Amino acid sequence: MPRLARLTPQTATGASRDLLTDLVSRHGQIGDMVATMAHSPAVLTGYLQLSRAMKRAKLSRKVSELISIAVQTQQGCGLCLESHISAAFALGIDDEEIDRARTGTSADPGVAAMITLGLQVYREPTSITDEQILSLYDHGYSEREITDVVGVVSLNILTGAFNLVAGLTPHRPSSGRRP
């Protein structure tokens, strides 16, 4: 049960009304999270800017989604987890690889190393070592891709924490693939 009301361009005020009006005019509709984030124009603007910026990330979408699945499994946001699992399926990632991501690993050692980094950024960034970063270079990752992991995790923390506080959960039956 949602704890915060979903806003519309008609019910929002000030900057939030402007943001929602623009989003609805460009996309036709907006999701529950965005409509609820509109209670704080600062939070909504921050989310929109970070989300847009991460679309320009160098890190592959596959690795990004697997990191997101690992982080959301830990954070416990069912809405985010469902969304990232659906995105992973759309990218052609199979059930076994999604299950591995949920446990914090991958069949690919390089991807597993990036998932590990993402979970450390989420849980305990002070535990990241110089040797670990050097190992990521050995797997072929660039400084930009390693830096992108911090953005991916930050976006997941924001959306997951917001959805949990707002009480937003998946509200439709599963497609048969489990979140």
Side-chain angles (χ1 to χ4, degrees), residues 61-77 80-85 88 93 97-106 111-123 149 152-153 156-157 179:
R61 181 89 191 279
K62 174 187 174 183
V63 174
S64 177
E65 291 302 339
L66 293 172
I67 291 169
S68 296
I69 289 167
V71 169
Q72 290 304 338
T73 297
Q74 294 294 306
Q75 188 161 297
C77 177
C80 293
L81 185 59
E82 180 181 276
S83 172
H84 290 294
I85 288 173
I93 300 171
E97 189 65 0
I98 289 169
D99 287 343
R100 283 189 278 275
R102 290 181 76 156
T103 64
T105 192
S106 169
V111 174
M114 287 298 259
I115 292 171
T116 296
L117 176 67
L119 287 171
Q120 285 177 274
V121 169
Y122 173 69
R123 288 189 209 135
V149 172
V152 168
V153 173
N156 273 280
I157 290 170

Side-chain angles (χ1 to χ4, degrees), residues 97-169:
E97 189 65 0
I98 289 169
D99 287 343
R100 283 189 278 275
R102 290 181 76 156
T103 64
T105 192
S106 169
D108 179 316
V111 174
M114 287 298 259
I115 292 171
T116 296
L117 176 67
L119 287 171
Q120 285 177 274
V121 169
Y122 173 69
R123 288 189 209 135
E124 189 178 9
T126 59
S127 69
I128 298 165
T129 65
D130 294 342
E131 293 78 19
Q132 181 178 3
I133 299 300
L134 291 172
S135 170
L136 292 170
Y137 295 141
D138 291 341
H139 285 292
Y141 291 106
S142 67
E143 290 176 337
R144 181 174 174 182
E145 290 168 308
I146 293 166
T147 302
D148 284 343
V149 172
V150 177
V152 168
V153 173
S154 297
L155 188 56
N156 273 280
I157 290 170
L158 173 61
T159 58
F162 180 81
N163 288 335
L164 291 166
V165 168
L168 300 177
T169 60

